[in-house]
Amino acid sequence: MGADNVDAFQRFIFSVPPLRVQAAALVVLSAVYAVGTFGGIWLFTPFAPDPSRIVPVAALIFLVPFVVAAELFPRVLDGYPRPWSYFLALTSQFVLFVYALVLTGANNVGNAWSIIWLSFITLYLVNILVLVVSTGIDRSDRILLASLVEPGLLIAAFYALGGSEFGFSTYRHVFAFASLLIAAGFLVLVLLVVDYLIKSNTDVSAFALTSGLLRNDRESLDLGVEARPSVETFAVDNGSRLTVAAPWVHPGPLGGFGGGQLSGNLIDALNGGRGDVAGRDPSGAAAAADGGTEAAAIDGGTGAASDGDAGFFFHVPCTHKEDLSNPADAERILDAVAEPELTERASRLVTESYGEREGYADVRFHGRRIGDKEVIVLHGEGIDDYDTGVFMRDVDHDDVLLIDQHRHDIQNGPDAEIQYGSAEADRLKRAFDDFRDRLADAPLTDDYAAGFALTRTGQDALAMVESVGDQEVLWIGVDTNGLTPDVRATADAYRDEFDAVIPFSTDTHASIHELANMRESDTDAIERAVDRAVDDVAPATVGFESRRTEPVKLLKNDYNGLVFSVNILIRLTLISLVTLYVLLVLWLFF
């Protein structure tokens, strides 16, 4: 996941504490900040404030304005979560405390006045910026008024606690309040310009995109071109059936936008919860039809559909250019899932590494012949994604199922993308063709056996064991974007028990929050799934089939415009905010 694509949004995502914890922290910190402020005044100024005023300062300065704002924002801005509002209040409370400490270093009354008003203006701008980014620029009129409540209450508290005793002229009051309004107007103007520049580059509102990603909204991007990508269906039948969808579509770009939730939606559907396949709940729960319950029957933390069947998702080597622009098109992907003809004739797994000979750290292929077809698994160390033509430009999808393991670390993944026509692509293609030549010589036998189990305890994961002759191969797949270190360690721990272990991820972009925060997985559930898959091994048949979808819209080169928009948004906004703050300091102090 490179910083040049929309995954850059994950840098701004983190978990917000529970509401009760934040509310309690707001009360406790108000007292702590009040005591800290009085301590700073005693230590760094010639004044000796009355300790009896600590409680009024804690209540009127550090508590009431922020509680009122935290409760107001969700009511004025429909859908704005209260936990977010309280977290914003906690952040603003801390900013005010920092300014209070700075105030203790003021060397004259004029500088003290400027610091006080700079703090009010800063809090106003912080609220405006956060609310616009998280709810959209179209609500800027309400945001401007609602955000004014917090500094307004602070101004009232300042004068109630003796601010009028400084004897400032009417001119200074008018100048300070005008500065607050001018700064707010300038900030909104900057945000409008940013939004205009983004829309001129690609017809997407930068703030609609950002707020939708933060709230995990489901949105269609009015971008892309019509296409009919192939959907390959891999199936194993040992009395129960495993169906794995491998569409030549990338599960992105992110969150509910476009096909970001594609892998989870298809896994839900293939496990009996078809319903509205494009309407997967952001929490990861299945969207069951007719209000029914999730179809996967959980047994000791692992489960499959009630009749023993299960479904999962393979990631093929492709890039964000293959992202769906409309999440509803996931239905058309699902409609192309087939019921392949199955065979018991398969070869042993063939493995070959091409890293050293082709100039890469590690490029490895695993492959198995299935009748007259081939299933090949690719791993390229240090490589994130591949243009679709790198490997398959002259290969019939009916003959080869190519799977990208995408097994890199979920938080420290590579950002190299192999472009079609490049020297790197040519080297990989030579290695791929050479491997296929070698695989073609692998003999077929009639003793294919397999077992599988699916876990759906908050995280979809598949364990599959294949046996041909005396060779046993374990697959461990997780519906994530890369693998957490504990999953990688779990896979490594099985290498002494199996002839080969193939860990893989779906490269899902379903949740920006998971991309930002995920550090570990439910490895206990994965281990139980592996145990069940081993116990489930029985003579089986296997096969795959390729079908074209009905027309869907893929982002293709419009994805580049989206990338440029993200980069412009992040950099231009940061530069503008720094510039605005510098101008504010110069304006108020000089």
Side-chain angles (χ1 to χ4, degrees), residues 186-187 189-191 193-194 197 568-583:
F186 184 77
L187 175 61
L189 178 62
V190 168
L191 297 178
V193 169
V194 169
L197 292 175
I568 292 171
L569 170 65
I570 292 173
R571 289 161 176 78
L572 183 57
T573 302
L574 290 176
I575 292 170
S576 300
L577 290 176
V578 171
T579 302
L580 173 58
Y581 190 79
V582 171
L583 291 175

Side-chain angles (χ1 to χ4, degrees), residues 480-513:
T480 54
N481 188 310
L483 301 177
T484 52
D486 53 358
V487 172
R488 295 158 70 94
T490 298
D492 289 340
Y494 283 109
R495 295 193 185 278
D496 291 337
E497 301 178 35
F498 295 89
D499 296 285
V501 179
I502 303 176
F504 69 94
S505 78
T506 62
D507 192 22
T508 185
H509 288 63
S511 171
I512 187 174
H513 304 273

Side-chain angles (χ1 to χ4, degrees), residues 272-311:
R274 172 160 180 157
D276 176 9
V277 71
R280 181 176 170 86
D281 186 271
S283 67
D290 302 323
T293 59
E294 186 176 340
I298 305 302
D299 177 14
T302 62
S306 56
D307 60 357
D309 295 345

Side-chain angles (χ1 to χ4, degrees), residues 522-583:
D522 188 352
T523 54
D524 289 340
I526 292 173
E527 289 171 358
R528 291 194 297 269
V530 171
D531 291 340
R532 290 188 61 204
V534 170
D535 293 340
D536 188 53
V537 173
T541 53
V542 60
F544 70 87
E545 182 178 336
S546 179
R547 282 186 185 172
R548 294 275 184 178
T549 69
E550 292 300 312
V552 300
K553 289 189 73 175
L554 301 181
L555 290 184
K556 293 296 184 181
N557 288 335
D558 281 348
Y559 177 75
N560 295 329
L562 198 60
V563 170
F564 299 151
S565 298
V566 171
N567 283 309
I568 292 171
L569 170 65
I570 292 173
R571 289 161 176 78
L572 183 57
T573 302
L574 290 176
I575 292 170
S576 300
L577 290 176
V578 171
T579 302
L580 173 58
Y581 190 79
V582 171
L583 291 175

Side-chain angles (χ1 to χ4, degrees), residues 264 267-268 280 284 312 454-462 477-479:
I267 290 171
D268 286 341
R280 181 176 170 86
F312 208 67
L454 186 70
T455 175
R456 308 209 68 200
T457 54
Q459 181 184 80
D460 295 331
L462 171 71
V478 188
D479 188 29

Side-chain angles (χ1 to χ4, degrees), residues 345-423:
R345 293 181 58 77
S347 72
R348 292 164 57 92
L349 190 75
V350 177
T351 301
E352 183 69 22
S353 176
Y354 291 84
E356 293 182 1
R357 73 185 81 170
E358 291 293 347
Y360 292 99
D362 185 15
V363 174
R364 188 178 301 268
F365 294 98
H366 300 284
R368 187 189 303 282
R369 291 180 62 201
I370 297 173
D372 57 356
K373 301 181 179 182
E374 300 167 356
V375 174
I376 299 175
V377 183
L378 157 73
H379 168 64
E381 188 70 25
I383 303 173
D384 185 22
D385 284 326
Y386 312 79
D387 273 348
T388 54
V390 170
F391 298 103
M392 300 293 286
R393 57 180 177 262
D394 56 359
V395 179
D396 193 333
H397 287 273
D398 291 325
D399 297 332
V400 177
L401 169 58
L402 180 59
I403 303 162
D404 179 8
Q405 280 185 256
H406 215 74
R407 72 182 198 192
H408 61 255
D409 185 88
I410 195 169
Q411 296 299 330
N412 298 297
D415 56 13
E417 186 173 282
I418 305 301
Q419 303 294 325
Y420 176 75
S422 65

Side-chain angles (χ1 to χ4, degrees), residues 429-452:
K429 176 61 172 171
R430 287 196 300 271
F432 179 62
D433 290 342
D434 180 80
F435 179 76
R436 289 192 64 203
D437 290 341
R438 181 180 174 193
L439 182 59
D441 295 331
L444 296 174
T445 66
D446 294 324
D447 59 350
Y448 180 82
F452 56 85

Side-chain angles (χ1 to χ4, degrees), residues 150-161:
E150 188 174 275
L153 290 173
L154 286 169
I155 293 169
F158 170 70
Y159 285 106
L161 293 172

